[in-house]
Amino acid sequence: MSLSPKITLISADPSRLDPAAVDQLEASARYEGIERVVGLPDLHVGAGIAVGAAFWSPDRVWPHLVGGDIGCGIGLWELSSPVRKFRLGSVERKLYGLDEAWSGDTLAAVAGFGLPPNLAGLALGTIGGGNHFVEFQRIEEVVDGERFDALGLQADRVWMMVHSGSRGLGQAVLQAHRTEPAGAGMLAAGPAGQAYLTEHDQALAWAVLNRRIIAQRFREAIGAEARPVLDICHNCVTPHLGGWLHRKGAAPADRGLVAIPGSRGDFSYLVEPIADSADQALCSLAHGAGRKWSRSDAHARLSARFRIADLQRTALGSHVICEDRRLIYEEAPQAYKDIRRVVADLEHAGLVRVIAQLRPLLSYKTRATS
DNA sequence: ATGTGC
């Protein structure tokens, strides 16, 4: 069976991609008004829509091609703390109270982002669940030293990666604007499209603010200063080449530096997109390693083989704070693809240049017990 | 994914 001509798969070996995820791409490519679809090397099955994909239309938008976690993305900060002074046990003892509501001024925070006061909810400044996390890292290897130095980055500092999104807000926006059937979508210029895009843009801004507050809470907890390196959203729809580009678990290649996290037990990569060849991939990049096993498979297979304590340390020696007994299995490194292959596929396609490799020190998921 | 559905 041949692939729809609308679809491009970014992979050195497309036969390795999950056929079920490619079927989901095919289904989306059949929507009237979709002209191009890209599957990235971290492509995997999602709830109706493949994750690790980009979709372009000249005139229509589909709320469910973005999904419920509008604005979800990765923020990266360079901390003032030198790696040589980073003590795992000491840091772990400071990371308490971070699942609870933020004690700061949420009204002032949303106002500062041009958002209405009704969006100053209790979830603002919290990570959430699923694959969201905060991770302390150190530079394992500077691959492009010239570029690393030119960016003013420092290899001897602790770095902090935040993966979170718009929590309940994006979900509410999807709920309010989803079309029936989902594949119908709406004209971007029409009243329904404009109403969706307005609320979508608010959820996007809220997610950026959320990551910023999370970063502030965590760096305050460990007593460090933080310098922003990047903030990249991988679930959104934005104007592109006179039309509309939907990214569902896809990082932008036209907004500067990108961080691509591996699983919690693997390296992350700081990369620079290469503009010349970006169009083949709809100006998009992999957003992470991508799931290899479903959540239920991961739990079934790994809970039979490992104790919780086995999963609180990773093969790279990093620690994991996840007191949710189901989530720690669902998010185990074994459930994810090999990030090295994902990044190699992006390099092979001429989409990125690796600047640095980051090693996990401590991954924070949740203190909430289950 | 979800200030979570029965």
Side-chain angles (χ1 to χ4, degrees):
Chain A
M1 204 171 67
S2 68
L3 200 66
S4 158
K6 293 179 183 175
I7 302 177
T8 304
L9 299 176
I10 305 295
S11 171
D13 182 5
S15 70
R16 292 186 60 90
L17 295 172
D18 181 356
V22 177
D23 285 349
Q24 288 188 318
L25 290 185
E26 293 275 12
S28 304
R30 285 193 289 270
Y31 295 172
E32 203 173 326
I34 289 280
E35 293 195 359
R36 286 188 64 198
V37 174
V38 167
L40 294 149
D42 57 337
L43 184 76
H44 62 94
V45 168
I49 297 298
V51 180
F55 310 87
W56 186 82
S57 169
D59 54 0
R60 299 187 80 78
V61 291
W62 290 263
H64 87 130
L65 286 185
V66 176
D69 199 359
I70 300 165
C72 184
I74 301 285
L76 188 63
W77 282 262
E78 184 196 89
L79 302 184
S80 55
S81 327
V83 172
R84 65 186 158 75
K85 287 191 178 170
F86 188 87
R87 297 285 176 271
L88 268 177
S90 164
V91 169
E92 283 176 76
R93 282 190 292 276
K94 291 171 181 163
L95 300 179
Y96 279 89
L98 295 162
D99 297 323
E100 282 81 73
W102 180 48
S103 60
D105 190 343
T106 53
L107 277 170
V110 294
F113 259 57
L115 294 168
N118 63 307
L119 299 187
L122 287 175
L124 189 64
T126 59
I127 300 174
N131 57 3
H132 292 169
F133 63 83
V134 171
E135 189 168 273
F136 295 98
Q137 307 172 333
R138 71 171 168 80
I139 303 286
E140 175 75 6
E141 185 190 358
V142 175
V143 179
D144 185 339
E146 203 173 310
R147 201 65 195 105
F148 190 86
D149 293 343
L151 290 161
L153 303 174
Q154 302 184 88
D156 63 341
R157 303 305 168 96
V158 176
W159 289 44
M160 183 173 65
M161 181 179 279
V162 177
H163 179 206
S164 188
S166 56
R167 311 286 271 104
L169 175 59
Q171 198 67 48
V173 172
L174 173 61
Q175 193 59 40
H177 296 276
R178 66 189 317 158
T179 59
E180 191 57 50
M186 50 195 39
L187 279 171
Q194 288 294 296
Y196 168 67
L197 288 167
T198 299
E199 291 195 27
H200 162 282
D201 290 353
Q202 287 187 333
L204 205 65
W206 196 99
V208 174
L209 173 60
N210 191 36
R211 285 188 287 276
R212 207 173 280 186
I213 295 172
I214 291 166
Q216 183 185 323
R217 294 181 76 181
F218 275 74
R219 67 120 182 121
E220 278 175 356
I222 70 164
E225 298 302 312
R227 190 162 68 103
V229 175
L230 59 86
D231 187 276
I232 285 293
C233 157
H234 51 231
N235 289 346
C236 58
V237 55
T238 47
H240 182 75
L241 297 179
W244 294 91
L245 178 57
H246 306 68
R247 291 188 177 101
K248 176 65 176 171
D254 53 359
R255 288 186 173 46
L257 294 177
V258 172
I260 307 176
S263 72
R264 70 177 181 222
D266 212 337
F267 297 104
S268 294
Y269 290 81
L270 178 65
V271 305
E272 183 139 72
I274 299 171
D276 304 346
S277 45
D279 182 61
Q280 59 166 320
L282 280 173
C283 240
S284 298
L285 304 171
H287 78 313
R291 286 200 88 85
K292 189 169 69 184
W293 298 342
S294 72
R295 291 181 175 280
S296 52
D297 283 353
H299 185 267
R301 299 166 81 145
L302 299 171
S303 62
R305 286 177 51 198
F306 299 103
R307 297 168 181 283
I308 298 269
D310 300 331
L311 299 183
Q312 288 170 334
R313 270 177 167 276
T314 74
L316 291 181
S318 62
H319 287 201
V320 177
I321 296 174
C322 180
E323 294 178 10
D324 180 323
R325 298 172 60 84
R326 186 168 180 91
L327 188 61
I328 197 168
Y329 286 108
E330 290 178 348
E331 290 293 319
Q334 294 90 333
Y336 282 85
K337 302 187 205 202
D338 179 1
I339 187 64
R340 262 161 280 247
R341 175 167 257 128
V342 169
V343 173
D345 281 355
L346 296 176
E347 289 180 291
H348 179 260
L351 296 176
V352 301
R353 192 166 23 242
V354 174
I355 298 178
Q357 186 186 30
L358 298 114
R359 170 186 280 260
L361 299 169
L362 173 62
S363 305
Y364 183 99
K365 298 288 287 182
T366 179
R367 289 281 189 192
T369 56
S370 65

PDB file of all heavy atoms in Angstrom, chain A residues 215-236:
ATOM      1  N   ALA A 215       9.390  27.303  36.423  1.00  0.00           N
ATOM      2  CA  ALA A 215      10.850  27.470  36.480  1.00  0.00           C
ATOM      3  C   ALA A 215      11.250  28.339  37.658  1.00  0.00           C
ATOM      4  O   ALA A 215      12.213  28.038  38.377  1.00  0.00           O
ATOM      5  CB  ALA A 215      11.355  28.072  35.173  1.00  0.00           C
ATOM      6  N   GLN A 216      10.480  29.400  37.889  1.00  0.00           N
ATOM      7  CA  GLN A 216      10.764  30.300  39.008  1.00  0.00           C
ATOM      8  C   GLN A 216      10.626  29.566  40.346  1.00  0.00           C
ATOM      9  O   GLN A 216      11.467  29.698  41.237  1.00  0.00           O
ATOM     10  CB  GLN A 216       9.808  31.495  38.956  1.00  0.00           C
ATOM     11  CG  GLN A 216      10.061  32.540  40.029  1.00  0.00           C
ATOM     12  CD  GLN A 216       9.009  33.637  40.010  1.00  0.00           C
ATOM     13  OE1 GLN A 216       8.549  34.049  38.943  1.00  0.00           O
ATOM     14  NE2 GLN A 216       8.609  34.093  41.180  1.00  0.00           N
ATOM     15  N   ARG A 217       9.568  28.754  40.481  1.00  0.00           N
ATOM     16  CA  ARG A 217       9.347  28.024  41.731  1.00  0.00           C
ATOM     17  C   ARG A 217      10.489  27.041  41.996  1.00  0.00           C
ATOM     18  O   ARG A 217      10.964  26.907  43.126  1.00  0.00           O
ATOM     19  CB  ARG A 217       8.031  27.238  41.661  1.00  0.00           C
ATOM     20  CG  ARG A 217       6.806  28.117  41.581  1.00  0.00           C
ATOM     21  CD  ARG A 217       5.545  27.282  41.534  1.00  0.00           C
ATOM     22  NE  ARG A 217       5.197  26.736  42.846  1.00  0.00           N
ATOM     23  CZ  ARG A 217       4.152  25.951  43.067  1.00  0.00           C
ATOM     24  NH1 ARG A 217       3.369  25.578  42.058  1.00  0.00           N
ATOM     25  NH2 ARG A 217       3.883  25.524  44.279  1.00  0.00           N
ATOM     26  N   PHE A 218      10.898  26.326  40.952  1.00  0.00           N
ATOM     27  CA  PHE A 218      11.941  25.310  41.142  1.00  0.00           C
ATOM     28  C   PHE A 218      13.305  25.943  41.404  1.00  0.00           C
ATOM     29  O   PHE A 218      14.078  25.444  42.232  1.00  0.00           O
ATOM     30  CB  PHE A 218      11.992  24.348  39.940  1.00  0.00           C
ATOM     31  CG  PHE A 218      10.997  23.222  40.041  1.00  0.00           C
ATOM     32  CD1 PHE A 218       9.646  23.448  39.824  1.00  0.00           C
ATOM     33  CD2 PHE A 218      11.405  21.940  40.384  1.00  0.00           C
ATOM     34  CE1 PHE A 218       8.716  22.412  39.935  1.00  0.00           C
ATOM     35  CE2 PHE A 218      10.484  20.897  40.497  1.00  0.00           C
ATOM     36  CZ  PHE A 218       9.143  21.134  40.273  1.00  0.00           C
ATOM     37  N   ARG A 219      13.607  27.035  40.715  1.00  0.00           N
ATOM     38  CA  ARG A 219      14.929  27.627  40.941  1.00  0.00           C
ATOM     39  C   ARG A 219      14.963  28.309  42.315  1.00  0.00           C
ATOM     40  O   ARG A 219      15.990  28.294  42.990  1.00  0.00           O
ATOM     41  CB  ARG A 219      15.315  28.564  39.804  1.00  0.00           C
ATOM     42  CG  ARG A 219      14.479  29.834  39.663  1.00  0.00           C
ATOM     43  CD  ARG A 219      15.367  31.061  39.804  1.00  0.00           C
ATOM     44  NE  ARG A 219      14.579  32.281  39.723  1.00  0.00           N
ATOM     45  CZ  ARG A 219      14.535  33.193  40.690  1.00  0.00           C
ATOM     46  NH1 ARG A 219      15.202  33.010  41.810  1.00  0.00           N
ATOM     47  NH2 ARG A 219      13.818  34.270  40.561  1.00  0.00           N
ATOM     48  N   GLU A 220      13.817  28.847  42.756  1.00  0.00           N
ATOM     49  CA  GLU A 220      13.766  29.422  44.104  1.00  0.00           C
ATOM     50  C   GLU A 220      13.929  28.325  45.156  1.00  0.00           C
ATOM     51  O   GLU A 220      14.604  28.518  46.168  1.00  0.00           O
ATOM     52  CB  GLU A 220      12.440  30.164  44.324  1.00  0.00           C
ATOM     53  CG  GLU A 220      12.446  31.572  43.740  1.00  0.00           C
ATOM     54  CD  GLU A 220      11.082  32.275  43.849  1.00  0.00           C
ATOM     55  OE1 GLU A 220      10.106  31.639  44.311  1.00  0.00           O
ATOM     56  OE2 GLU A 220      11.010  33.453  43.450  1.00  0.00           O
ATOM     57  N   ALA A 221      13.292  27.167  44.889  1.00  0.00           N
ATOM     58  CA  ALA A 221      13.353  26.060  45.849  1.00  0.00           C
ATOM     59  C   ALA A 221      14.787  25.616  46.092  1.00  0.00           C
ATOM     60  O   ALA A 221      15.151  25.232  47.199  1.00  0.00           O
ATOM     61  CB  ALA A 221      12.505  24.887  45.358  1.00  0.00           C
ATOM     62  N   ILE A 222      15.618  25.660  45.041  1.00  0.00           N
ATOM     63  CA  ILE A 222      17.000  25.209  45.231  1.00  0.00           C
ATOM     64  C   ILE A 222      17.970  26.381  45.407  1.00  0.00           C
ATOM     65  O   ILE A 222      19.177  26.186  45.521  1.00  0.00           O
ATOM     66  CB  ILE A 222      17.481  24.273  44.094  1.00  0.00           C
ATOM     67  CG1 ILE A 222      17.666  25.021  42.764  1.00  0.00           C
ATOM     68  CG2 ILE A 222      16.511  23.107  43.904  1.00  0.00           C
ATOM     69  CD1 ILE A 222      18.499  24.225  41.764  1.00  0.00           C
ATOM     70  N   GLY A 223      17.430  27.595  45.421  1.00  0.00           N
ATOM     71  CA  GLY A 223      18.255  28.773  45.685  1.00  0.00           C
ATOM     72  C   GLY A 223      19.208  29.130  44.570  1.00  0.00           C
ATOM     73  O   GLY A 223      20.379  29.419  44.813  1.00  0.00           O
ATOM     74  N   ALA A 224      18.717  29.091  43.336  1.00  0.00           N
ATOM     75  CA  ALA A 224      19.564  29.434  42.189  1.00  0.00           C
ATOM     76  C   ALA A 224      18.916  30.541  41.366  1.00  0.00           C
ATOM     77  O   ALA A 224      17.711  30.752  41.425  1.00  0.00           O
ATOM     78  CB  ALA A 224      19.780  28.210  41.312  1.00  0.00           C
ATOM     79  N   GLU A 225      19.745  31.249  40.606  1.00  0.00           N
ATOM     80  CA  GLU A 225      19.228  32.169  39.601  1.00  0.00           C
ATOM     81  C   GLU A 225      19.068  31.382  38.304  1.00  0.00           C
ATOM     82  O   GLU A 225      19.721  30.345  38.125  1.00  0.00           O
ATOM     83  CB  GLU A 225      20.189  33.339  39.383  1.00  0.00           C
ATOM     84  CG  GLU A 225      20.394  34.201  40.627  1.00  0.00           C
ATOM     85  CD  GLU A 225      19.093  34.786  41.152  1.00  0.00           C
ATOM     86  OE1 GLU A 225      18.320  35.345  40.333  1.00  0.00           O
ATOM     87  OE2 GLU A 225      18.824  34.669  42.362  1.00  0.00           O
ATOM     88  N   ALA A 226      18.199  31.879  37.410  1.00  0.00           N
ATOM     89  CA  ALA A 226      17.959  31.151  36.156  1.00  0.00           C
ATOM     90  C   ALA A 226      17.978  32.106  34.976  1.00  0.00           C
ATOM     91  O   ALA A 226      17.392  33.188  35.030  1.00  0.00           O
ATOM     92  CB  ALA A 226      16.615  30.426  36.215  1.00  0.00           C
ATOM     93  N   ARG A 227      18.637  31.672  33.921  1.00  0.00           N
ATOM     94  CA  ARG A 227      18.698  32.471  32.690  1.00  0.00           C
ATOM     95  C   ARG A 227      17.979  31.684  31.592  1.00  0.00           C
ATOM     96  O   ARG A 227      18.310  30.523  31.338  1.00  0.00           O
ATOM     97  CB  ARG A 227      20.163  32.685  32.310  1.00  0.00           C
ATOM     98  CG  ARG A 227      20.386  33.686  31.206  1.00  0.00           C
ATOM     99  CD  ARG A 227      21.840  34.157  31.211  1.00  0.00           C
ATOM    100  NE  ARG A 227      22.769  33.100  30.816  1.00  0.00           N
ATOM    101  CZ  ARG A 227      23.339  33.028  29.602  1.00  0.00           C
ATOM    102  NH1 ARG A 227      23.062  33.951  28.700  1.00  0.00           N
ATOM    103  NH2 ARG A 227      24.176  32.060  29.305  1.00  0.00           N
ATOM    104  N   PRO A 228      16.976  32.314  30.944  1.00  0.00           N
ATOM    105  CA  PRO A 228      16.226  31.576  29.920  1.00  0.00           C
ATOM    106  C   PRO A 228      17.085  31.311  28.683  1.00  0.00           C
ATOM    107  O   PRO A 228      17.788  32.193  28.213  1.00  0.00           O
ATOM    108  CB  PRO A 228      15.064  32.513  29.576  1.00  0.00           C
ATOM    109  CG  PRO A 228      15.507  33.867  29.995  1.00  0.00           C
ATOM    110  CD  PRO A 228      16.467  33.680  31.132  1.00  0.00           C
ATOM    111  N   VAL A 229      17.017  30.065  28.184  1.00  0.00           N
ATOM    112  CA  VAL A 229      17.730  29.700  26.955  1.00  0.00           C
ATOM    113  C   VAL A 229      16.745  29.596  25.797  1.00  0.00           C
ATOM    114  O   VAL A 229      16.986  30.077  24.707  1.00  0.00           O
ATOM    115  CB  VAL A 229      18.510  28.374  27.137  1.00  0.00           C
ATOM    116  CG1 VAL A 229      19.157  27.934  25.835  1.00  0.00           C
ATOM    117  CG2 VAL A 229      19.559  28.520  28.245  1.00  0.00           C
ATOM    118  N   LEU A 230      15.601  28.956  26.068  1.00  0.00           N
ATOM    119  CA  LEU A 230      14.589  28.823  25.010  1.00  0.00           C
ATOM    120  C   LEU A 230      13.254  28.432  25.620  1.00  0.00           C
ATOM    121  O   LEU A 230      13.181  27.941  26.752  1.00  0.00           O
ATOM    122  CB  LEU A 230      15.029  27.766  23.980  1.00  0.00           C
ATOM    123  CG  LEU A 230      15.284  26.344  24.487  1.00  0.00           C
ATOM    124  CD1 LEU A 230      14.012  25.505  24.530  1.00  0.00           C
ATOM    125  CD2 LEU A 230      16.309  25.640  23.613  1.00  0.00           C
ATOM    126  N   ASP A 231      12.182  28.695  24.882  1.00  0.00           N
ATOM    127  CA  ASP A 231      10.855  28.181  25.218  1.00  0.00           C
ATOM    128  C   ASP A 231      10.169  27.837  23.900  1.00  0.00           C
ATOM    129  O   ASP A 231       9.932  28.707  23.071  1.00  0.00           O
ATOM    130  CB  ASP A 231      10.021  29.200  26.002  1.00  0.00           C
ATOM    131  CG  ASP A 231       8.718  28.572  26.485  1.00  0.00           C
ATOM    132  OD1 ASP A 231       7.747  28.533  25.692  1.00  0.00           O
ATOM    133  OD2 ASP A 231       8.669  28.099  27.633  1.00  0.00           O
ATOM    134  N   ILE A 232       9.897  26.558  23.719  1.00  0.00           N
ATOM    135  CA  ILE A 232       9.430  26.051  22.431  1.00  0.00           C
ATOM    136  C   ILE A 232       8.141  25.272  22.614  1.00  0.00           C
ATOM    137  O   ILE A 232       8.068  24.337  23.428  1.00  0.00           O
ATOM    138  CB  ILE A 232      10.533  25.134  21.823  1.00  0.00           C
ATOM    139  CG1 ILE A 232      11.683  25.978  21.281  1.00  0.00           C
ATOM    140  CG2 ILE A 232       9.975  24.235  20.752  1.00  0.00           C
ATOM    141  CD1 ILE A 232      11.344  26.832  20.081  1.00  0.00           C
ATOM    142  N   CYS A 233       7.105  25.687  21.863  1.00  0.00           N
ATOM    143  CA  CYS A 233       5.798  25.030  21.971  1.00  0.00           C
ATOM    144  C   CYS A 233       5.657  23.964  20.879  1.00  0.00           C
ATOM    145  O   CYS A 233       5.998  24.217  19.729  1.00  0.00           O
ATOM    146  CB  CYS A 233       4.742  26.114  21.819  1.00  0.00           C
ATOM    147  SG  CYS A 233       3.182  25.498  21.288  1.00  0.00           S
ATOM    148  N   HIS A 234       5.166  22.767  21.266  1.00  0.00           N
ATOM    149  CA  HIS A 234       5.023  21.712  20.255  1.00  0.00           C
ATOM    150  C   HIS A 234       3.575  21.282  19.976  1.00  0.00           C
ATOM    151  O   HIS A 234       3.367  20.336  19.220  1.00  0.00           O
ATOM    152  CB  HIS A 234       5.930  20.511  20.563  1.00  0.00           C
ATOM    153  CG  HIS A 234       5.817  19.973  21.956  1.00  0.00           C
ATOM    154  ND1 HIS A 234       6.914  19.762  22.769  1.00  0.00           N
ATOM    155  CD2 HIS A 234       4.746  19.588  22.676  1.00  0.00           C
ATOM    156  CE1 HIS A 234       6.517  19.271  23.922  1.00  0.00           C
ATOM    157  NE2 HIS A 234       5.216  19.153  23.897  1.00  0.00           N
ATOM    158  N   ASN A 235       2.593  21.972  20.592  1.00  0.00           N
ATOM    159  CA  ASN A 235       1.180  21.736  20.249  1.00  0.00           C
ATOM    160  C   ASN A 235       0.512  23.079  19.951  1.00  0.00           C
ATOM    161  O   ASN A 235       0.166  23.809  20.887  1.00  0.00           O
ATOM    162  CB  ASN A 235       0.408  21.097  21.415  1.00  0.00           C
ATOM    163  CG  ASN A 235       0.790  19.663  21.685  1.00  0.00           C
ATOM    164  OD1 ASN A 235       1.436  19.018  20.883  1.00  0.00           O
ATOM    165  ND2 ASN A 235       0.365  19.159  22.824  1.00  0.00           N
ATOM    166  N   CYS A 236       0.343  23.409  18.689  1.00  0.00           N
ATOM    167  CA  CYS A 236      -0.269  24.699  18.376  1.00  0.00           C
ATOM    168  C   CYS A 236      -0.580  24.782  16.885  1.00  0.00           C
ATOM    169  O   CYS A 236      -0.137  23.938  16.102  1.00  0.00           O
ATOM    170  CB  CYS A 236       0.658  25.853  18.759  1.00  0.00           C
ATOM    171  SG  CYS A 236       2.262  25.782  17.954  1.00  0.00           S
TER     172      CYS A 236
END
